[in-house]
Amino acid sequence: MGRYDLALVGFGGVNRALAELISHKEDHLAKELGLALRVVAITDLRAGSLVDIEGIDLTPLLAVEPGELSFAGLAGGSADPRNEWVIREVPADIVVEATFTNPIDGEPAFSHVRWALESGKHVCTTNKGPVALAGRALKRLAAERSVSFEFEGSVLSGTPVLRTAGRMFGGLDITGVQGIMNGTSNYILGRLEEGIELSAALAEAQELGYAEADPTADIEGHDVQLKVMILANEVLGADLRREDVFCEGISAITPQEVRDATSKGLRWKLVGSATRHEDGRVDARVAPLALPAHHPLAGISGPVNAVAFHTDLLGTVTVCGPGAGRVETAYALLSDIIAIHQRHADRDTAATRPVLKETHRG
Ligand code: HSE
């Protein structure tokens, strides 16, 4: 049995959903995968921090409404998130980072990931910022410390786009990728086709939990820009910065344009794409396109996302599935944990590591 102690950084929708999955799927994970997971620390901007190296009882925490949760006053709890101390000092095997994405410098998530890797802990994250802006450096740091840095959920939540490309496309030459990678904008474009105004459609997408905390990133394409950078860097071997990726969102598209396109058999989609040229140069862009019905991305509707890989031997291979949602994104983290387990099963984990005595502070 592989036993892993987890430190959850951020306890919003995604890491709460992961805690629920860990609780509900305990038997399944043990029987099917030989995996036992225990949460030993949680930090959160609003709730504070909670540490119990014997394993936190998640049930009472999950019974409290998210906005009302506070760790202050609990044994091992504090109103202070104590992020750096928890990440560096609490003896966890895996740090699970699910705080908000900052597209400018990737902070504070970049520091969370760096502290964990420097401390010799595996990291999984759903956070696009550190992966898009500093993925290469963080992967180098992980390799130096012989730990894993996993980030499947940074693109298309739990739909395994990165792992499919990384593990299943051996021997193929991938020349380009094209994707619908933002559920909010795709949902809105679909609602515009049905005659709903953009502001009302956005409110629906927020209500359904697809939109970012600041939906500007969804509407103006910046969310897709980061995902295109991650795909281009991971799949096409590029090293793109944000300013290398042209970005236009859907805010200028009018309901009339959407209806006109529909009458001609076209569908507006916000498409992120990256192409590798023969000299190795990679071009990437995000822009709305009116796609003909036969295009592999034209039929992708609502919050569903898809990525089409252009390959030398198979032509176009398209992976589609959910691109957002708390459970779907939590599954990405679970898939990362499983990947870590499969890669490091023979290494030191909670099952074998000596217990540190000094784990609580203040
Ligand atoms: N706001 C994003 C979307 C969530 O709508 O797809 C995942 O990045």
Side-chain angles (χ1 to χ4, degrees):
M1 181 71 75
R3 284 178 39 205
Y4 297 86
D5 284 351
L6 312 181
L8 308 186
V9 179
F11 203 55
V14 172
N15 262 345
R16 266 180 85 99
L18 178 66
E20 285 162 9
L21 284 184
I22 290 170
S23 301
H24 299 158
K25 281 198 171 267
E26 192 177 349
D27 288 348
H28 179 104
L29 294 174
K31 282 192 197 124
E32 299 291 320
L33 296 161
L35 194 57
L37 303 177
R38 190 166 66 164
V39 175
V40 294
I42 303 174
T43 79
D44 184 75
L45 203 57
R46 280 185 293 186
S49 52
L50 183 63
V51 176
D52 182 348
I53 60 164
E54 299 302 328
I56 294 170
D57 182 2
L58 297 170
T59 308
L61 304 185
L62 294 172
V64 178
E65 286 298 312
E68 291 167 17
L69 190 64
S70 171
F71 300 138
L74 302 181
S78 166
D80 179 354
R82 302 181 292 180
N83 279 318
E84 183 165 5
W85 174 75
V86 168
I87 291 170
R88 287 193 189 274
E89 304 300 333
V90 172
D93 302 298
I94 303 174
V95 171
V96 183
E97 211 282 344
T99 63
F100 65 94
T101 284
N102 170 347
I104 308 300
D105 60 6
E107 291 290 8
F110 170 72
S111 292
H112 298 159
V113 174
R114 180 172 59 80
W115 295 333
L117 296 174
E118 283 173 353
S119 314
K121 289 162 183 156
H122 306 295
V123 175
C124 46
T125 186
T126 56
N127 207 312
K128 295 172 283 283
V131 185
L133 303 174
R136 198 171 270 230
L138 291 169
K139 280 178 14 180
R140 198 179 316 120
L141 178 57
E144 281 165 14
R145 305 299 158 109
S146 302
V147 291
S148 286
F149 175 42
E150 300 290 332
F151 41 84
E152 183 65 61
S154 63
V155 181
L156 262 63
S157 69
T159 303
V161 171
L162 296 174
R163 213 158 269 130
T164 298
R167 291 194 181 176
M168 309 306 290
F169 286 174
L172 290 179
D173 192 8
I174 303 174
T175 52
V177 291
Q178 222 181 359
I180 292 175
M181 295 185 270
N182 183 269
T184 303
S185 56
N186 205 47
Y187 177 85
I188 290 172
L189 289 172
R191 294 296 276 155
L192 291 180
E193 287 174 351
E194 292 163 11
I196 306 292
E197 291 296 320
L198 191 144
S199 56
L202 172 59
E204 289 175 4
Q206 286 177 304
E207 181 67 22
L208 290 163
Y210 307 141
E212 296 294 298
D214 175 2
T216 314
D218 298 300
I219 302 295
E220 300 302 346
H222 303 133
D223 174 68
V224 180
Q225 188 183 37
L226 294 180
K227 292 168 181 168
V228 168
M229 288 168 67
I230 296 169
L231 271 177
N233 295 347
E234 287 301 307
V235 178
L236 302 177
D239 189 14
L240 298 180
R241 294 159 300 166
R242 261 188 101 194
E243 53 271 33
D244 298 326
V245 183
F246 172 82
C247 183
E248 182 188 337
I250 63 166
S251 59
I253 298 181
T254 64
Q256 188 57 46
E257 281 176 304
V258 170
R259 284 193 293 274
D260 288 349
T262 310
S263 68
K264 293 179 197 148
L266 302 172
R267 297 193 80 192
W268 279 103
K269 296 290 172 191
L270 183 61
V271 176
S273 57
T275 307
R276 195 177 58 222
H277 299 282
E278 287 200 349
D279 62 2
R281 198 170 37 85
V282 174
D283 280 338
R285 59 189 277 114
V286 180
L289 292 177
L291 301 178
H294 60 79
H295 191 282
L297 301 178
I300 304 299
S301 297
V304 178
N305 285 192
V307 173
F309 295 93
H310 303 302
T311 75
D312 57 346
L313 304 181
L314 294 178
T316 300
V317 178
T318 306
V319 178
C320 87
R326 50 193 291 280
V327 173
E328 295 83 348
T329 310
Y331 173 70
L333 293 169
L334 184 58
S335 76
D336 286 343
I337 292 167
I338 293 167
I340 291 168
H341 170 53
Q342 289 168 342
R343 192 171 309 135
H344 299 268
D346 54 337
R347 295 193 51 236
D348 181 40
T349 69
T352 54
R353 196 188 46 238
V355 173
L356 297 192
K357 292 195 181 71
E358 188 60 39
T359 58
H360 293 252
R361 189 190 66 168

